[in-house]
Amino acid sequence: MKYKVQLSFGGQTVKEEILEIKEQKLGDLSDEEIERAIEVNIRTWVDKNLQIEWEVMEEQ
C-alpha cells in the first residue's frame, strides 16, 4: 500500500514523499489497524524529517 504524505509550513508544502507499507505486513489487519499502522509510519517519517531548533537571543 502506497500513500503520499506532505509536510507544510505556513500553508506551503516544504516536503512531500510517497511512503509504502508492504502488503504482506498488513496481512489480515482490520481497516482500523491498517489506519493505525499508517499513522505510526507517518509519525516515524515526521520524526526523521522535522527538526525544530531555538535559542535565546536576548536576556532580560
Side-chain angles (χ1 to χ4, degrees), residues 14-27:
V14 294
K15 185 157 182 79
E16 184 175 283
E17 198 165 325
I18 303 295
L19 300 183
E20 181 176 10
I21 297 178
K22 302 288 184 196
E23 292 293 332
Q24 65 265 25
K25 288 188 176 183
L26 298 177

Side-chain angles (χ1 to χ4, degrees), residues 20-56:
E20 181 176 10
I21 297 178
K22 302 288 184 196
E23 292 293 332
Q24 65 265 25
K25 288 188 176 183
L26 298 177
D28 294 327
L29 297 179
S30 68
D31 288 346
E32 190 174 291
E33 291 169 322
I34 290 171
E35 186 175 319
R36 180 69 183 128
I38 290 170
E39 289 172 353
V40 168
N41 213 19
I42 291 171
R43 172 50 58 195
T44 301
W45 179 82
V46 169
D47 288 346
K48 274 188 352 189
N49 288 285
L50 180 65
Q51 293 84 36
I52 298 174
E53 298 178 12
W54 62 273
E55 65 181 78
V56 175

